[in-house]
Amino acid sequence: MNDRALKVLEQYELDVTGTRRGRGCWYLDTPEGTGILSEYAGTENRALFQNLVMGAVCEGGYRNVDVILPNKEGLLVSKDWEENRYVVKKWYPGRECDPSNEAEVLRAVENLARLHCLMRLKEENDCYAARPPLEELRAWNAQLRKIRTFVRTRQKKSAFEQLFLDSYDQYLQQATEALSQLSRVNDLLEELREDKKGCVCHGDYSHHHVLICGYEIATTNFDCCRFDFQVNDLYRFMRKILEKHDWNTRLGMRMLESYGRVRPLSHTERRLLYVRMLYPEKFRKLAGTYYGGSKAWISRQYSDKLVKMNRQEKARAGFLKLLEA
């Protein structure tokens, strides 16, 4: 973000005493505390929805969230002369959660459970509702088959493309089984959706968005928050952490226990968590990145990631077996 972005601050009644560059943002020093200026891809309505969710969290006593501050006109999204959109948020001095530190990972899981207890609105808006899981998995499986067909037709296959075809069947089998199991519990999911009506997911809860501020924790980046099964947040966080720990079974079960002490999972939520873990999302994402990228030069990183994924399959299967029990 260049210096010209700071001109946007003229639209705010903020006493900014100092600025410093951050990663894709500017940190702002004010008498009221630290703020942050960053570009924003959403609309004014999306920003209003984010603040509504964070407002519910704050009312519940959890105040360390990056609420978007209004400008002089009362708008949450400000534009520069080129129509680029920006927001100013509250910020917190701290560091990102260390995914290699088990104690911090467990703190982050408990923090997520606490957030989930508070992230509930009285009314739902279909504009901010996630796609039903069954519909989502069907679309993903169709995408995988489309990519396989494309790779098969390639005359001269790269090392990654050959490895993709060699690995494809085992991952498609997992994807098909996940869809089958999800179909069997879909009626229970509909009941759960009614029971949990108004519940909101963070949508992008990761160690990058959990700030360790001494004895406290701050949670940031609610840009992807939406009405959804909250266990999906837990799934995303657990999957990314467990991939970094070679699917350590002990750590995985400790994460589940830490979450459950604050917000116990129902049987249906546990089944959904298992189905999500069973689905080969890492493989699907890697395939999608390859398919959407240049075919003239295919990065070796694709092959390296797939080799690592294949290497972790035995440990992943062990965790899934324990989770299913």
Side-chain angles (χ1 to χ4, degrees), residues 11-252:
Q11 300 177 37
Y12 292 83
E13 292 184 357
L14 287 174
D15 181 13
V16 179
T17 58
T19 61
R20 59 190 184 282
R21 285 183 182 272
R23 187 170 57 192
C25 67
W26 284 92
Y27 292 109
L28 314 174
D29 296 322
T30 75
E32 291 78 29
T34 306
I36 191 171
L37 170 68
S38 60
E39 291 191 55
Y40 186 69
T43 63
E44 179 71 17
N45 284 340
R46 158 51 78 171
L48 286 167
F49 177 67
Q50 286 175 228
N51 264 13
L52 189 64
V53 172
M54 287 185 280
V57 170
C58 290
E59 286 177 12
Y62 188 116
R63 303 197 176 278
N64 293 344
V65 289
D66 56 340
V67 174
I68 304 173
L69 303 179
N71 60 24
K72 293 176 183 176
E73 296 180 0
L75 299 175
L76 299 179
V77 180
S78 302
K79 297 179 181 179
D80 63 12
W81 64 280
E82 293 181 318
E83 294 294 304
N84 298 311
R85 287 174 288 189
Y86 298 88
V87 291
V88 173
K89 302 178 180 180
K90 290 177 62 178
W91 202 250
Y92 304 88
R95 57 173 179 79
E96 290 183 1
C97 169
D98 181 358
S100 66
N101 185 316
E102 184 172 319
E104 289 190 8
V105 166
L106 297 179
R107 283 185 68 190
V109 170
E110 290 179 357
N111 179 67
L112 177 61
R114 185 184 171 197
L115 280 172
H116 281 168
C117 291
L118 303 173
M119 292 172 68
R120 192 164 190 168
L121 301 180
K122 293 179 180 178
E123 295 183 7
E124 284 200 11
N125 186 328
D126 290 342
C127 294
Y128 306 114
R131 187 160 49 165
L134 201 58
E135 181 183 319
E136 189 170 49
L137 262 61
R138 282 173 178 156
W140 287 351
N141 287 1
Q143 179 193 39
L144 279 175
R145 291 187 174 93
K146 179 180 179 181
I147 294 171
R148 178 187 58 175
T149 300
F150 171 80
V151 175
R152 277 178 167 175
T153 61
R154 297 269 287 170
Q155 295 264 336
K156 189 175 180 182
K157 295 177 178 57
S158 67
F160 168 76
E161 289 167 335
Q162 189 58 56
L163 184 59
F164 171 84
L165 290 177
D166 292 343
S167 307
Y168 180 85
D169 285 345
Q170 67 170 328
Y171 292 115
L172 181 64
Q173 184 178 358
Q174 293 172 10
T176 304
E177 176 61 21
L179 180 59
S180 174
Q181 294 213 21
L182 192 61
S183 298
R184 291 198 290 270
V185 299
N186 194 54
D187 289 342
L188 294 175
L189 289 178
E190 290 302 315
E191 292 176 13
L192 178 63
R193 187 184 296 279
E194 281 302 310
D195 183 51
K196 301 290 185 181
K197 194 161 186 157
C199 286
V200 182
C201 264
H202 180 280
D204 193 22
Y205 191 84
S206 73
H207 63 279
H208 297 298
H209 304 139
V210 178
L211 301 182
I212 307 297
C213 311
Y215 293 107
E216 296 188 344
I217 286 181
T219 307
T220 65
N221 194 28
F222 285 74
D223 294 7
C224 298
C225 65
R226 56 185 178 267
F227 296 107
D228 196 5
F229 297 108
Q230 292 179 326
V231 73
N232 285 334
D233 271 342
L234 177 62
Y235 152 69
R236 294 184 194 97
F237 184 75
M238 286 185 65
R239 179 179 65 81
K240 290 177 182 178
I241 294 295
L242 289 174
E243 285 170 357
K244 294 179 183 295
H245 288 263
D246 286 331
W247 290 89
N248 184 298
T249 299
R250 184 189 61 83
L251 175 60

Side-chain angles (χ1 to χ4, degrees), residues 234 238 252-260 265 270 273 323:
L234 177 62
M238 286 185 65
M253 299 315 292
R254 288 200 68 189
M255 292 169 74
L256 270 179
E257 291 167 5
S258 295
Y259 184 92
L265 292 175
R270 180 90 176 214
L273 177 63
L323 183 61

